Amino acid sequence: MSGGVTTAALRWPGLGAWNLYFLGKFALLWQGMLNFQVLPNLLLAAVLLLPLPRWAALLRTSLALPAGLALLYHDSWLPPVGRVLERLQALLDFSPAYLFELGGRFLDWRSLAGVLLALLAYGLLAPWLRLTTVSLAGLLWLGAQSLAPLWSPPAPPLPAVAGAPAAPASAPVVASGPPDNATLDNYLQDFYRSESERRVDLGAAAKGAPFDLLLLNVCSLGWSDLRAVGLERHPFLERMDILFDNFNSATAYSGPAALRLQRASCGQTSHSALYQPAPEQCQLFDSLARLGYRVDLALNHNGRFDNYLQSIRAAGRLPEPLFPAESLPRTWVGFDASPINRDRDQLEAWWRLRGDKPAERVSLLYQTITLHDGNREVLADGRTRSAGYGPRAQHLLDDFDAFIGELERSGRPTVVVLIPEHGAALHGDRMQIAGMREIPSPSITHIPVGVKLVGLPLDSATGRQRVSAPSSYLALAELLVRLHGGPPADGRGFDRAALARDLPQTAKVAENSDSVLLEYGGRPYVRLQERGQWLPYPQEER
């Protein structure tokens, strides 16, 4: 009798409610919203299917629940736990209104409706179908798919990209070979090795610069964001004499973007190398100072969040901001409830100070967070309300446009450069929700960079130019060298076509602290950890 009881107690169980867990994962994988790891999921299913006495089965369930949640997080595209812990203090600085808004992006009504429908379907089907068989069949099929590349012959190598000469002024690496882990790892290393040898010698330019230099460093402005709000043809952008259609910011965060701009005279480095000392020749603002510029810094915020101001000043040996953000009326408040000034107010305040020493040549780095995710509008009574990206972008571009008009009326020679840090990720995709920038996806790093020549002689025979070649900061540094060379001696002014011709090209590689994305053979691939697997990046917006 006791033997019969033991046999019954130890019969092989089904997965029960865990079928909902695995079938839900299959659905997310089918939608491209999960990075499904086959082996740990098979292991979890095997442990759940082991026949155990009742007390041991209860213990297994209590351990499997947190393990299943941890595995679900590991299978998701969310940042690694270490990155979350690293950013925990920054998250605590978010205002309650912004945290509530972020929560709504993770759990919108469609997600909740999908969960309810899945529960209903499970309740209806469980009595009629052996769902454990379906779950195991799915896991085994995915396991076989993951092993398929080991049994298949290697793919033929990709042809070299046409029109990519090996000269330092052009993209120095080409796609060759199947896009497997070894090939993409080698491609990335070759890219950084080649970039380490590239230089633009701004120090060789003529001293006594013939113009001021104004760098408009905008947080959260990408081509995809402009298209989303219908501003890709705003009059400010139409003013540009040279507009880059294919510029790569190489990062998705403000701090690294500022460091990359400061090192524009040298080739692109890895993310970790940004925090190592750079050769003196790479320091853009040091080079400008040696050319006779007074270097100014201005921000429309206090720069305290994530220690931004201190870090960029230390890395680029920049001066203190000309005036604190609190000295001007606030127009917005940030995601951390800090004050943000209107851009035109900031620029006009700098312009008034600029007029005190008209003989000097000045370079201004102006950094604005008007478009940062979570900003709110300040009302007349001091209260705040949600401010959409579109109205804020309209304000920003209108302010820039009006300031350009003021510069033109003054007649002072000025080169104005629009150089965003990264995009806003207004539309999420299958790997990231809207506003998340942990992965430097193409829609985030593809930024509108433009150059406006104010008060400089221009050759009327050539109009505004668009640069379609893959470009990054090195192209901007080379353009500054050409402008410092002065217009041709024939007296016709700067030839904009000559200025934009054959600028240095840079292959598309972008990196954050825990992820790197590169374009290989015309397709983007992402690696989420240092020695992780390379995966095709889904390009469709969600």
Side-chain angles (χ1 to χ4, degrees), residues 216 218 221 226 229-237 239-240 343 370-371 389-404 418 420 448:
L216 303 175
V218 183
L221 181 66
L226 288 170
V229 294
L231 292 175
E232 70 271 28
R233 297 186 64 85
H234 188 278
F236 173 69
L237 296 174
R239 280 181 182 265
M240 295 295 111
D343 295 289
T370 295
L371 302 184
Y389 183 92
R392 285 184 285 127
Q394 184 76 51
H395 270 286
L396 175 92
L397 297 177
D398 287 349
D399 283 356
F400 285 172
D401 194 47
F403 188 67
I404 290 284
L418 171 69

Side-chain angles (χ1 to χ4, degrees), residues 464-537:
R464 66 194 302 261
Q465 301 293 308
R466 298 188 80 112
V467 180
S468 58
S471 309
S472 199
Y473 301 95
L474 203 65
L476 179 59
E478 172 62 24
L479 184 55
L480 292 178
V481 170
R482 295 180 186 184
L483 287 167
H484 277 89
D490 58 16
R492 291 188 297 176
F494 283 103
D495 182 341
R496 285 167 284 189
L499 288 173
R501 186 179 302 125
D502 296 328
L503 289 170
Q505 297 180 28
T506 303
K508 293 183 180 179
V509 174
E511 191 172 358
N512 285 348
S513 61
D514 289 301
S515 60
V516 58
L517 189 141
L518 57 81
E519 186 175 290
Y520 184 86
R523 290 194 62 187
Y525 293 86
V526 64
R527 189 183 69 190
L528 298 180
Q529 296 180 10
E530 179 64 29
R531 293 181 178 82
Q533 300 289 307
W534 288 95
L535 303 165
Y537 192 90

Side-chain angles (χ1 to χ4, degrees), residues 381-461:
D381 60 3
R383 294 181 299 123
T384 66
R385 68 180 177 191
S386 180
Y389 183 92
R392 285 184 285 127
Q394 184 76 51
H395 270 286
L396 175 92
L397 297 177
D398 287 349
D399 283 356
F400 285 172
D401 194 47
F403 188 67
I404 290 284
E406 190 168 340
L407 291 176
E408 289 176 331
R409 287 188 293 273
S410 77
R412 187 170 192 89
T414 307
V415 173
V416 181
V417 180
L418 171 69
I419 176 73
E421 295 173 339
H422 52 74
L426 277 189
H427 291 292
D429 55 33
R430 294 180 180 182
M431 296 183 76
Q432 299 186 111
I433 64 167
M436 182 175 282
R437 292 178 276 110
E438 288 299 314
I439 301 172
S441 68
S443 65
I444 297 173
T445 59
H446 182 204
I447 57 173
V449 173
V451 178
K452 175 63 180 175
L453 309 179
V454 179
L456 296 175
L458 299 177
D459 185 348
S460 59

Side-chain angles (χ1 to χ4, degrees), residues 344-372:
R344 188 170 181 180
D345 291 344
Q346 288 282 149
L347 291 171
E348 287 180 346
W350 169 78
W351 185 238
R352 288 191 293 272
L353 292 176
R354 171 71 189 90
D356 293 341
K357 296 182 179 180
E360 287 187 352
R361 295 298 175 186
V362 178
S363 170
L364 171 67
L365 173 61
Y366 174 64
Q367 201 270 345
T368 170
I369 63 169
T370 295
L371 302 184
H372 196 286

